[in-house]
Amino acid sequence: MQKYFSNGKLLLSGEYAVLDGAKAWAVPTKFGQYLQVSETDSGRLSWKSLDENGTAWFNGVYKKESLVEISSSDKNTSLTLQKILHEAKQLNPWFLNDSKGFEIETKLTFPRNWGLGSSSTLINNIAQWAQVDAYQLLWNAFSGSGYDIACAQNNSPIVYQLVKGVPAVNKINVKPTFSDSLFFVYLNKKRNSREAINAYRQRVIDKSVLVEKISDLTVQMIHCSQIKQFEHLVTLHEKILSEALGIPTIKEELFSDYQRSIKSLGAWGGDFILVVGDNGSADYFSTKGYQTVIPFQEMIL
């Protein structure tokens, strides 16, 4: 039996601009996904995906070498899985190429709708199993900057950057001195990252200027030691991205009466936001209908 684990991810700075080479502050989460591989004599590939409660949310059975579906509980999920496995075989023709069968079980340690990387953790786990490059597997199967793969593979915060299309990952030993004042709030909906990326790609703006500004803010945010200065940097980051994307900030849209700083993370309009506040902040968001408020310390590795 083989067992793999990949960390979830959050992007604290650099969203969207990271696609064009901006420096981004990315952090792996304490939550992630397991993949367990057991060999069988069935000649088939049997797949079961479990949620954080151990409940199966997807089942599929495939011919092992051709990956033709025999049965599945959801066609769209099945097609996505087949695509990832096909691309893994393209990168490593020996993958799944013996006479045995396999029984696969995946298990998330976070709710699927949280947007912490159910896809990227799966891709990184499959890449480990297939012995292929996880970044290449991501880009062949889908799109994205690859920062989520870097988080899946590292157990500390990182500065992530695409340098001429090649991932550059620098581990940093940074934990904000004011982390007790930072919280993550779930917006009760998952944003489709691929749709968000496509919308950004279509924007006609000077990407080089955006990359320079966001890279500078990333460095300042990482080295910031004063909460008020951090809030200023967060607000400036939101303003620059809002203008680049042509959409209002999440604070303007949903929380205009909140007194402290708020920052979108990853694809704007869904998943988690970063909030500066105190222990009473949870009550504010709860009254607005947002019940999932997680302290920085409990989320980040």
Side-chain angles (χ1 to χ4, degrees), residues 158-244:
I158 59 173
V159 174
Y160 181 85
Q161 187 178 22
L162 285 174
V163 181
K164 296 182 179 179
V166 178
V169 180
N170 292 309
K171 297 180 182 180
I172 53 175
N173 186 20
V174 170
K175 180 181 179 183
T177 56
F178 43 81
S179 59
D180 288 348
S181 299
L182 301 179
F183 301 83
F184 297 100
V185 179
Y186 180 58
L187 294 180
N188 298 336
K189 60 181 178 179
K190 193 175 188 298
R191 183 73 202 277
N192 186 307
S193 298
R194 289 185 285 279
E195 291 179 0
I197 288 171
N198 289 336
Y200 166 75
R201 291 290 194 204
Q202 293 171 16
R203 295 288 295 170
V204 182
I205 57 174
D206 190 333
K207 299 285 179 65
S208 63
V209 172
L210 176 66
V211 165
E212 184 177 354
K213 288 181 178 179
I214 294 300
S215 292
D216 181 58
L217 282 174
T218 290
V219 174
Q220 291 187 62
M221 288 172 68
I222 288 171
H223 296 290
C224 183
S225 60
Q226 301 296 321
I227 187 67
K228 288 299 181 184
Q229 176 64 8
F230 185 79
E231 290 195 70
H232 168 71
L233 295 172
V234 162
T235 300
L236 184 56
H237 194 295
E238 287 286 278
K239 181 177 183 293
I240 291 171
L241 259 295
S242 174
E243 292 173 354

Coordinates of all heavy atoms in Angstrom, one line a residue, residues 158-244:
I158 N 5.9 30.4 1.7 CA 6.8 30.6 0.5 C 6.6 31.9 -0.2 O 5.5 32.5 -0.1 CB 6.7 29.4 -0.5 CG1 5.2 29.4 -1.0 CG2 7.1 28.1 0.2 CD1 5.0 28.4 -2.1
V159 N 7.6 32.4 -0.9 CA 7.4 33.4 -1.9 C 7.5 32.6 -3.2 O 8.4 31.9 -3.5 CB 8.5 34.5 -1.9 CG1 8.4 35.4 -3.1 CG2 8.4 35.2 -0.6
Y160 N 6.4 32.7 -4.0 CA 6.3 32.0 -5.3 C 6.3 33.0 -6.4 O 5.6 34.0 -6.4 CB 5.0 31.2 -5.3 CG 4.8 30.4 -6.5 CD1 5.4 29.1 -6.6 CD2 4.1 30.9 -7.6 CE1 5.3 28.3 -7.8 CE2 4.0 30.1 -8.8 CZ 4.6 28.9 -8.9 OH 4.4 28.1 -10.0
Q161 N 7.0 32.6 -7.5 CA 7.1 33.5 -8.6 C 7.4 32.7 -9.9 O 8.1 31.7 -9.8 CB 8.3 34.5 -8.5 CG 8.3 35.6 -9.5 CD 9.4 36.6 -9.3 OE1 10.4 36.3 -8.5 NE2 9.3 37.8 -9.9
L162 N 6.8 33.0 -11.0 CA 7.1 32.4 -12.3 C 8.1 33.3 -12.9 O 7.9 34.4 -13.3 CB 5.8 32.3 -13.1 CG 4.8 31.3 -12.8 CD1 3.5 31.4 -13.6 CD2 5.3 29.9 -12.9
V163 N 9.3 32.7 -13.1 CA 10.4 33.4 -13.8 C 10.6 32.8 -15.2 O 11.0 31.7 -15.3 CB 11.7 33.3 -13.0 CG1 12.8 34.0 -13.6 CG2 11.5 33.8 -11.5
K164 N 10.1 33.5 -16.2 CA 10.1 33.0 -17.5 C 9.4 31.7 -17.6 O 9.8 30.8 -18.3 CB 11.5 32.9 -18.1 CG 12.3 34.2 -18.2 CD 13.7 34.1 -18.8 CE 14.4 35.4 -18.9 NZ 15.8 35.3 -19.4
G165 N 8.3 31.7 -16.9 CA 7.4 30.5 -16.9 C 7.8 29.3 -16.1 O 7.2 28.3 -16.0
V166 N 9.0 29.5 -15.4 CA 9.5 28.4 -14.5 C 9.2 28.8 -13.0 O 9.6 29.9 -12.6 CB 11.0 28.2 -14.7 CG1 11.5 27.1 -13.8 CG2 11.3 27.9 -16.2
P167 N 8.6 27.8 -12.3 CA 8.3 28.1 -10.9 C 9.6 28.4 -10.0 O 10.6 27.6 -10.1 CB 7.6 26.9 -10.4 CG 7.1 26.2 -11.6 CD 8.1 26.5 -12.7
A168 N 9.6 29.5 -9.3 CA 10.7 29.7 -8.3 C 10.1 29.8 -6.9 O 9.2 30.6 -6.7 CB 11.4 31.1 -8.6
V169 N 10.5 28.9 -6.1 CA 9.9 28.7 -4.8 C 11.0 29.0 -3.7 O 12.0 28.3 -3.6 CB 9.3 27.3 -4.5 CG1 8.7 27.1 -3.2 CG2 8.3 26.9 -5.6
N170 N 10.7 30.0 -2.9 CA 11.6 30.4 -1.8 C 10.9 30.3 -0.5 O 9.9 31.0 -0.2 CB 12.1 31.8 -2.0 CG 13.0 32.0 -3.2 OD1 14.0 31.2 -3.4 ND2 12.7 33.0 -4.0
K171 N 11.4 29.3 0.3 CA 10.8 29.1 1.7 C 11.2 30.3 2.5 O 12.3 30.8 2.5 CB 11.3 27.9 2.3 CG 10.9 26.6 1.6 CD 11.5 25.4 2.3 CE 11.1 24.1 1.5 NZ 11.7 22.9 2.2
I172 N 10.2 30.8 3.3 CA 10.5 31.9 4.2 C 10.0 31.5 5.6 O 9.0 30.9 5.8 CB 9.8 33.2 3.8 CG1 8.3 33.0 3.5 CG2 10.4 33.7 2.5 CD1 7.5 34.2 3.2
N173 N 10.8 31.9 6.6 CA 10.5 31.6 8.0 C 9.8 32.9 8.6 O 10.4 33.6 9.4 CB 11.7 31.2 8.8 CG 11.4 30.8 10.2 OD1 10.3 30.4 10.5 ND2 12.4 30.8 11.0
V174 N 8.6 33.1 8.1 CA 7.9 34.3 8.5 C 6.6 34.0 9.1 O 5.8 33.3 8.5 CB 7.7 35.3 7.3 CG1 6.8 36.4 7.6 CG2 9.0 35.8 6.8
K175 N 6.3 34.6 10.3 CA 5.0 34.5 10.9 C 4.7 35.9 11.4 O 5.5 36.4 12.2 CB 5.0 33.5 12.0 CG 3.7 33.4 12.7 CD 3.8 32.3 13.9 CE 2.5 32.2 14.6 NZ 2.6 31.3 15.8
P176 N 3.7 36.5 11.0 CA 3.4 37.9 11.4 C 3.4 38.0 12.9 O 2.7 37.2 13.6 CB 2.0 38.2 10.8 CG 1.9 37.3 9.6 CD 2.6 36.1 10.0
T177 N 4.0 39.0 13.5 CA 4.0 39.2 14.9 C 2.6 39.5 15.4 O 2.3 39.4 16.6 CB 4.9 40.4 15.3 OG1 4.5 41.6 14.6 CG2 6.4 40.1 14.9
F178 N 1.7 39.9 14.5 CA 0.4 40.3 14.9 C -0.6 39.2 14.4 O -1.8 39.5 14.2 CB 0.0 41.6 14.3 CG 0.5 41.8 12.9 CD1 -0.3 41.3 11.8 CD2 1.6 42.5 12.6 CE1 0.2 41.5 10.5 CE2 2.1 42.6 11.3 CZ 1.4 42.1 10.2
S179 N -0.2 38.0 14.3 CA -1.0 36.9 13.7 C -2.3 36.7 14.6 O -3.3 36.2 14.0 CB -0.2 35.6 13.5 OG 0.3 35.2 14.8
D180 N -2.2 37.0 15.8 CA -3.4 36.9 16.7 C -4.5 37.8 16.2 O -5.7 37.6 16.6 CB -3.1 37.2 18.2 CG -2.2 36.1 18.8 OD1 -2.1 35.0 18.2 OD2 -1.7 36.4 19.9
S181 N -4.2 38.8 15.4 CA -5.2 39.7 14.9 C -5.7 39.4 13.5 O -6.4 40.2 12.8 CB -4.7 41.2 14.9 OG -4.3 41.6 16.2
L182 N -5.3 38.2 13.0 CA -5.6 37.8 11.6 C -6.6 36.6 11.6 O -6.3 35.7 12.4 CB -4.4 37.5 10.8 CG -3.3 38.6 10.7 CD1 -2.1 38.1 9.9 CD2 -3.9 39.8 10.0
F183 N -7.6 36.7 10.8 CA -8.6 35.6 10.7 C -8.9 35.4 9.3 O -8.8 36.2 8.4 CB -9.9 36.0 11.5 CG -9.7 36.4 12.9 CD1 -9.2 37.6 13.3 CD2 -9.9 35.4 13.9 CE1 -9.0 37.9 14.7 CE2 -9.7 35.7 15.2 CZ -9.3 36.9 15.6
F184 N -9.4 34.1 9.0 CA -9.9 33.8 7.7 C -11.4 33.5 7.8 O -11.9 32.8 8.7 CB -9.2 32.5 7.2 CG -7.7 32.7 7.0 CD1 -6.8 32.2 8.0 CD2 -7.2 33.3 5.9 CE1 -5.5 32.4 7.8 CE2 -5.8 33.5 5.7 CZ -5.0 33.0 6.7
V185 N -12.1 34.2 6.9 CA -13.6 34.1 6.9 C -14.0 33.5 5.6 O -13.6 33.9 4.5 CB -14.3 35.5 7.1 CG1 -15.8 35.3 7.0 CG2 -13.8 36.1 8.4
Y186 N -14.8 32.4 5.7 CA -15.3 31.8 4.5 C -16.6 32.5 4.0 O -17.5 32.8 4.7 CB -15.7 30.3 4.8 CG -16.2 29.5 3.6 CD1 -15.4 29.4 2.4 CD2 -17.4 28.9 3.6 CE1 -15.9 28.8 1.3 CE2 -17.9 28.2 2.5 CZ -17.1 28.2 1.3 OH -17.6 27.5 0.2
L187 N -16.6 32.8 2.7 CA -17.7 33.5 2.1 C -18.9 32.7 1.6 O -19.8 33.2 0.9 CB -17.2 34.3 0.9 CG -16.1 35.4 1.2 CD1 -15.7 36.1 -0.1 CD2 -16.7 36.4 2.2
N188 N -19.0 31.5 2.0 CA -20.1 30.6 1.8 C -20.3 30.2 0.3 O -21.4 29.7 0.0 CB -21.4 31.2 2.3 CG -21.4 31.5 3.8 OD1 -20.7 30.8 4.5 ND2 -22.2 32.4 4.2
K189 N -19.3 30.4 -0.5 CA -19.4 29.9 -1.9 C -18.0 29.7 -2.4 O -17.0 30.4 -2.0 CB -20.1 30.9 -2.7 CG -19.5 32.3 -2.8 CD -20.4 33.2 -3.7 CE -19.8 34.6 -3.8 NZ -20.7 35.5 -4.6
K190 N -17.8 28.8 -3.3 CA -16.6 28.4 -3.9 C -16.5 29.1 -5.3 O -17.4 29.1 -6.1 CB -16.4 26.9 -4.1 CG -15.1 26.4 -4.4 CD -15.0 24.9 -4.5 CE -13.6 24.4 -4.6 NZ -13.0 24.8 -5.9
R191 N -15.4 29.8 -5.6 CA -15.2 30.5 -6.8 C -14.4 29.5 -7.8 O -13.4 28.9 -7.4 CB -14.4 31.8 -6.6 CG -14.2 32.6 -7.9 CD -15.5 33.3 -8.4 NE -15.5 33.6 -9.8 CZ -14.9 34.7 -10.3 NH1 -14.3 35.5 -9.5 NH2 -15.0 34.9 -11.6
N192 N -14.9 29.5 -9.0 CA -14.2 28.6 -10.0 C -12.9 29.4 -10.5 O -13.0 30.4 -11.1 CB -15.1 28.4 -11.2 CG -14.5 27.4 -12.2 OD1 -13.4 27.6 -12.7 ND2 -15.2 26.4 -12.6
S193 N -11.8 28.8 -10.1 CA -10.5 29.5 -10.4 C -10.2 29.7 -11.9 O -9.7 30.7 -12.3 CB -9.3 28.7 -9.7 OG -9.5 28.7 -8.3
R194 N -10.6 28.6 -12.6 CA -10.3 28.7 -14.1 C -11.1 29.8 -14.7 O -10.6 30.5 -15.6 CB -10.6 27.3 -14.7 CG -9.6 26.3 -14.3 CD -9.8 25.0 -15.0 NE -10.9 24.2 -14.5 CZ -10.9 23.4 -13.5 NH1 -9.8 23.4 -12.7 NH2 -11.9 22.7 -13.1
E195 N -12.4 30.0 -14.3 CA -13.2 31.1 -14.8 C -12.6 32.4 -14.4 O -12.6 33.4 -15.2 CB -14.6 31.0 -14.3 CG -15.4 29.8 -14.9 CD -16.8 29.7 -14.3 OE1 -17.2 30.6 -13.4 OE2 -17.6 28.8 -14.7
A196 N -12.1 32.6 -13.2 CA -11.5 33.8 -12.7 C -10.3 34.1 -13.5 O -10.0 35.3 -13.9 CB -11.2 33.7 -11.2
I197 N -9.5 33.1 -13.8 CA -8.2 33.3 -14.5 C -8.5 33.8 -16.0 O -7.9 34.7 -16.5 CB -7.4 32.0 -14.6 CG1 -6.8 31.7 -13.2 CG2 -6.3 32.0 -15.6 CD1 -6.1 30.4 -13.1
N198 N -9.5 33.1 -16.6 CA -9.9 33.5 -18.0 C -10.4 35.0 -18.0 O -10.1 35.7 -19.0 CB -11.0 32.6 -18.5 CG -10.5 31.2 -18.8 OD1 -9.3 31.0 -19.0 ND2 -11.4 30.2 -18.7
A199 N -11.1 35.4 -17.0 CA -11.6 36.8 -17.0 C -10.5 37.7 -16.8 O -10.4 38.8 -17.5 CB -12.6 37.0 -15.8
Y200 N -9.5 37.4 -16.0 CA -8.3 38.2 -15.8 C -7.5 38.3 -17.1 O -7.0 39.4 -17.5 CB -7.4 37.7 -14.7 CG -6.0 38.3 -14.6 CD1 -5.8 39.6 -14.2 CD2 -4.9 37.5 -15.1 CE1 -4.5 40.1 -14.1 CE2 -3.6 38.0 -15.0 CZ -3.5 39.3 -14.5 OH -2.2 39.8 -14.5
R201 N -7.3 37.2 -17.8 CA -6.6 37.1 -19.0 C -7.1 38.1 -20.1 O -6.4 38.6 -20.9 CB -6.6 35.7 -19.6 CG -5.8 34.7 -18.8 CD -4.3 34.9 -18.8 NE -3.5 33.8 -18.3 CZ -2.3 33.9 -17.9 NH1 -1.7 35.1 -17.8 NH2 -1.7 32.8 -17.4
Q202 N -8.4 38.3 -20.1 CA -9.1 39.1 -21.1 C -9.0 40.6 -20.8 O -9.3 41.4 -21.6 CB -10.5 38.7 -21.2 CG -10.7 37.3 -21.8 CD -12.2 36.8 -21.7 OE1 -13.1 37.6 -21.5 NE2 -12.4 35.5 -21.8
R203 N -8.5 41.0 -19.6 CA -8.4 42.4 -19.2 C -7.2 43.0 -20.0 O -6.1 42.5 -20.1 CB -8.1 42.5 -17.7 CG -9.2 42.1 -16.9 CD -10.4 43.0 -16.9 NE -10.1 44.3 -16.3 CZ -10.9 45.4 -16.4 NH1 -12.0 45.3 -17.1 NH2 -10.5 46.5 -15.9
V204 N -7.5 44.2 -20.6 CA -6.5 44.9 -21.4 C -5.9 45.9 -20.5 O -6.4 47.1 -20.4 CB -7.0 45.5 -22.6 CG1 -5.9 46.2 -23.4 CG2 -7.7 44.5 -23.5
I205 N -4.8 45.6 -19.8 CA -4.1 46.5 -18.8 C -2.6 46.3 -19.0 O -2.2 45.3 -19.6 CB -4.5 46.2 -17.4 CG1 -4.2 44.8 -17.0 CG2 -6.0 46.6 -17.1 CD1 -4.5 44.5 -15.5
D206 N -1.8 47.2 -18.4 CA -0.4 47.0 -18.5 C 0.0 46.1 -17.4 O 0.2 46.4 -16.2 CB 0.3 48.4 -18.2 CG 1.8 48.4 -18.5 OD1 2.4 47.3 -18.4 OD2 2.4 49.4 -18.9
K207 N 0.2 44.8 -17.7 CA 0.5 43.8 -16.8 C 1.9 44.0 -16.1 O 2.1 43.6 -15.0 CB 0.4 42.4 -17.4 CG -0.9 42.0 -18.0 CD -1.9 41.7 -17.0 CE -3.3 41.3 -17.6 NZ -3.3 40.1 -18.4
S208 N 2.8 44.6 -16.9 CA 4.2 44.7 -16.3 C 4.1 45.7 -15.1 O 4.8 45.5 -14.1 CB 5.1 45.2 -17.4 OG 4.7 46.5 -17.9
V209 N 3.3 46.7 -15.2 CA 3.2 47.7 -14.1 C 2.5 47.0 -12.9 O 2.9 47.2 -11.8 CB 2.4 48.9 -14.6 CG1 2.1 49.8 -13.4 CG2 3.2 49.7 -15.6
L210 N 1.5 46.2 -13.2 CA 0.8 45.5 -12.2 C 1.7 44.6 -11.4 O 1.7 44.5 -10.2 CB -0.4 44.7 -12.7 CG -1.2 43.9 -11.8 CD1 -1.9 44.7 -10.7 CD2 -2.2 43.0 -12.5
V211 N 2.5 43.8 -12.2 CA 3.5 42.9 -11.6 C 4.5 43.6 -10.7 O 4.7 43.1 -9.6 CB 4.2 42.1 -12.7 CG1 5.4 41.4 -12.1 CG2 3.3 41.1 -13.4
E212 N 5.0 44.7 -11.1 CA 5.9 45.4 -10.3 C 5.3 45.9 -9.0 O 5.9 45.8 -7.9 CB 6.5 46.6 -11.1 CG 7.6 47.4 -10.4 CD 8.1 48.5 -11.3 OE1 7.8 48.7 -12.5 OE2 9.0 49.3 -10.7
K213 N 4.1 46.5 -9.1 CA 3.5 47.0 -7.9 C 3.1 45.9 -6.9 O 3.4 46.0 -5.7 CB 2.2 47.8 -8.3 CG 2.4 49.1 -9.0 CD 1.0 49.7 -9.3 CE 1.2 51.1 -10.0 NZ -0.1 51.7 -10.3
I214 N 2.6 44.8 -7.4 CA 2.2 43.7 -6.5 C 3.4 43.0 -5.9 O 3.4 42.6 -4.7 CB 1.3 42.7 -7.3 CG1 0.0 43.4 -7.7 CG2 1.0 41.5 -6.4 CD1 -0.9 43.9 -6.5
S215 N 4.5 42.9 -6.7 CA 5.7 42.3 -6.2 C 6.2 43.1 -5.0 O 6.7 42.6 -4.0 CB 6.8 42.1 -7.3 OG 6.4 41.2 -8.2
D216 N 6.2 44.4 -5.2 CA 6.7 45.3 -4.1 C 5.9 45.2 -2.9 O 6.4 45.1 -1.8 CB 6.7 46.7 -4.7 CG 7.3 47.7 -3.6 OD1 8.4 47.5 -3.2 OD2 6.5 48.6 -3.2
L217 N 4.5 45.1 -3.1 CA 3.6 45.0 -1.9 C 3.8 43.6 -1.2 O 3.8 43.6 0.0 CB 2.2 45.1 -2.4 CG 1.7 46.6 -2.6 CD1 0.3 46.6 -3.2 CD2 1.7 47.4 -1.3
T218 N 4.1 42.6 -2.0 CA 4.3 41.3 -1.4 C 5.5 41.3 -0.4 O 5.4 40.8 0.7 CB 4.6 40.2 -2.5 OG1 3.3 40.0 -3.2 CG2 5.1 38.9 -1.9
V219 N 6.6 41.9 -0.9 CA 7.8 42.0 -0.1 C 7.5 42.8 1.2 O 7.9 42.5 2.3 CB 9.0 42.6 -0.9 CG1 10.2 42.9 0.0 CG2 9.4 41.7 -2.0
Q220 N 6.8 43.9 1.0 CA 6.5 44.8 2.2 C 5.6 44.1 3.2 O 5.8 44.2 4.4 CB 5.8 46.1 1.7 CG 6.8 47.0 1.0 CD 6.1 48.4 0.7 OE1 5.7 49.1 1.6 NE2 5.9 48.7 -0.6
M221 N 4.6 43.3 2.7 CA 3.7 42.6 3.6 C 4.4 41.6 4.4 O 4.2 41.4 5.6 CB 2.6 42.0 2.7 CG 1.6 43.0 2.2 SD 0.4 42.3 1.1 CE -0.6 41.2 2.2
I222 N 5.3 40.8 3.7 CA 6.1 39.8 4.4 C 6.9 40.3 5.5 O 7.0 39.7 6.6 CB 6.9 39.0 3.4 CG1 6.0 38.2 2.5 CG2 8.0 38.1 4.1 CD1 6.8 37.5 1.3
H223 N 7.5 41.5 5.3 CA 8.5 42.0 6.3 C 7.8 43.0 7.2 O 8.5 43.6 8.1 CB 9.7 42.7 5.6 CG 10.5 41.7 4.8 ND1 11.3 40.8 5.4 CD2 10.6 41.5 3.5 CE1 11.9 40.0 4.5 NE2 11.5 40.5 3.3
C224 N 6.5 43.2 7.1 CA 5.8 44.2 7.9 C 5.7 43.7 9.4 O 5.4 42.5 9.6 CB 4.5 44.4 7.4 SG 3.5 45.7 8.3
S225 N 6.0 44.6 10.4 CA 6.0 44.2 11.8 C 4.9 45.0 12.5 O 4.7 44.7 13.7 CB 7.3 44.4 12.4 OG 7.7 45.8 12.3
Q226 N 4.3 45.9 11.9 CA 3.3 46.8 12.6 C 1.9 46.5 11.9 O 1.8 46.6 10.7 CB 3.6 48.2 12.5 CG 5.0 48.6 13.1 CD 5.0 48.3 14.6 OE1 4.1 48.6 15.3 NE2 6.2 47.8 15.1
I227 N 0.9 46.2 12.7 CA -0.4 45.9 12.2 C -1.0 47.0 11.4 O -1.7 46.8 10.4 CB -1.4 45.5 13.4 CG1 -2.7 45.0 12.9 CG2 -1.6 46.6 14.4 CD1 -2.6 43.7 12.1
K228 N -0.8 48.3 11.8 CA -1.4 49.4 11.1 C -0.8 49.5 9.7 O -1.5 49.8 8.7 CB -1.2 50.7 11.9 CG -2.1 50.8 13.1 CD -3.6 50.8 12.7 CE -4.5 50.9 13.9 NZ -5.9 50.7 13.6
Q229 N 0.5 49.3 9.6 CA 1.2 49.3 8.3 C 0.7 48.2 7.5 O 0.5 48.3 6.3 CB 2.7 49.3 8.5 CG 3.5 49.2 7.2 CD 3.3 50.5 6.3 OE1 2.7 51.5 6.8 NE2 3.9 50.4 5.1
F230 N 0.5 47.0 8.1 CA 0.0 45.9 7.3 C -1.4 46.2 6.8 O -1.7 45.8 5.6 CB -0.1 44.6 8.3 CG -0.5 43.4 7.6 CD1 0.4 42.7 6.8 CD2 -1.8 42.9 7.7 CE1 0.1 41.5 6.1 CE2 -2.1 41.7 7.0 CZ -1.2 41.0 6.3
E231 N -2.2 46.8 7.6 CA -3.6 47.1 7.1 C -3.5 48.1 5.9 O -4.3 48.0 5.0 CB -4.4 47.7 8.2 CG -4.8 46.7 9.3 CD -5.9 47.2 10.2 OE1 -7.0 47.3 9.8 OE2 -5.6 47.5 11.4
H232 N -2.6 49.0 6.0 CA -2.4 50.0 4.9 C -2.0 49.2 3.6 O -2.6 49.5 2.5 CB -1.4 51.0 5.2 CG -0.9 51.8 4.1 ND1 -1.7 52.8 3.5 CD2 0.3 51.8 3.4 CE1 -1.0 53.3 2.5 NE2 0.2 52.8 2.4
L233 N -1.1 48.3 3.7 CA -0.6 47.5 2.6 C -1.7 46.6 2.0 O -1.9 46.5 0.8 CB 0.6 46.6 3.0 CG 1.8 47.4 3.4 CD1 2.9 46.4 4.0 CD2 2.4 48.2 2.2
V234 N -2.5 46.0 2.9 CA -3.7 45.2 2.4 C -4.7 46.1 1.6 O -5.1 45.7 0.6 CB -4.4 44.6 3.7 CG1 -5.8 44.1 3.3 CG2 -3.5 43.4 4.2
T235 N -5.0 47.2 2.2 CA -5.9 48.1 1.5 C -5.4 48.6 0.1 O -6.1 48.6 -0.8 CB -6.2 49.4 2.4 OG1 -6.8 48.9 3.6 CG2 -7.2 50.3 1.7
L236 N -4.1 48.9 0.1 CA -3.5 49.3 -1.2 C -3.5 48.1 -2.2 O -3.8 48.3 -3.4 CB -2.1 49.8 -0.9 CG -1.3 50.3 -2.1 CD1 -2.1 51.5 -2.8 CD2 0.1 50.8 -1.7
H237 N -3.2 46.9 -1.7 CA -3.2 45.7 -2.6 C -4.6 45.5 -3.2 O -4.7 45.3 -4.4 CB -2.8 44.5 -1.8 CG -2.4 43.3 -2.6 ND1 -3.4 42.6 -3.3 CD2 -1.3 42.6 -2.7 CE1 -2.8 41.6 -3.9 NE2 -1.5 41.5 -3.6
E238 N -5.6 45.7 -2.3 CA -7.0 45.5 -2.8 C -7.4 46.6 -3.8 O -8.0 46.3 -4.8 CB -8.0 45.6 -1.6 CG -7.9 44.4 -0.7 CD -8.6 43.2 -1.3 OE1 -9.9 43.1 -1.3 OE2 -7.9 42.4 -1.9
K239 N -6.9 47.8 -3.6 CA -7.2 48.9 -4.5 C -6.6 48.7 -5.9 O -7.3 48.8 -6.9 CB -6.7 50.2 -3.9 CG -7.0 51.5 -4.8 CD -6.5 52.7 -4.1 CE -6.9 54.0 -4.9 NZ -6.1 54.0 -6.1
I240 N -5.4 48.3 -5.9 CA -4.7 48.0 -7.2 C -5.3 46.9 -8.0 O -5.5 47.0 -9.2 CB -3.2 47.7 -6.9 CG1 -2.5 49.0 -6.4 CG2 -2.5 47.2 -8.2 CD1 -1.0 48.7 -5.9
L241 N -5.6 45.8 -7.3 CA -6.3 44.7 -8.0 C -7.7 45.0 -8.4 O -8.1 44.6 -9.4 CB -6.3 43.4 -7.1 CG -5.2 42.4 -7.3 CD1 -5.4 41.7 -8.7 CD2 -3.8 43.0 -7.2
S242 N -8.4 45.8 -7.6 CA -9.8 46.2 -8.0 C -9.8 47.0 -9.3 O -10.6 46.7 -10.1 CB -10.4 47.0 -6.8 OG -11.6 47.6 -7.2
E243 N -8.8 47.9 -9.4 CA -8.7 48.7 -10.6 C -8.3 47.8 -11.8 O -8.8 47.9 -12.9 CB -7.7 49.8 -10.4 CG -8.1 50.9 -9.4 CD -7.1 51.9 -9.1 OE1 -5.9 51.7 -9.6 OE2 -7.4 52.8 -8.4
A244 N -7.4 46.8 -11.6 CA -6.9 46.0 -12.6 C -8.0 45.0 -13.1 O -8.1 44.7 -14.3 CB -5.7 45.1 -12.2

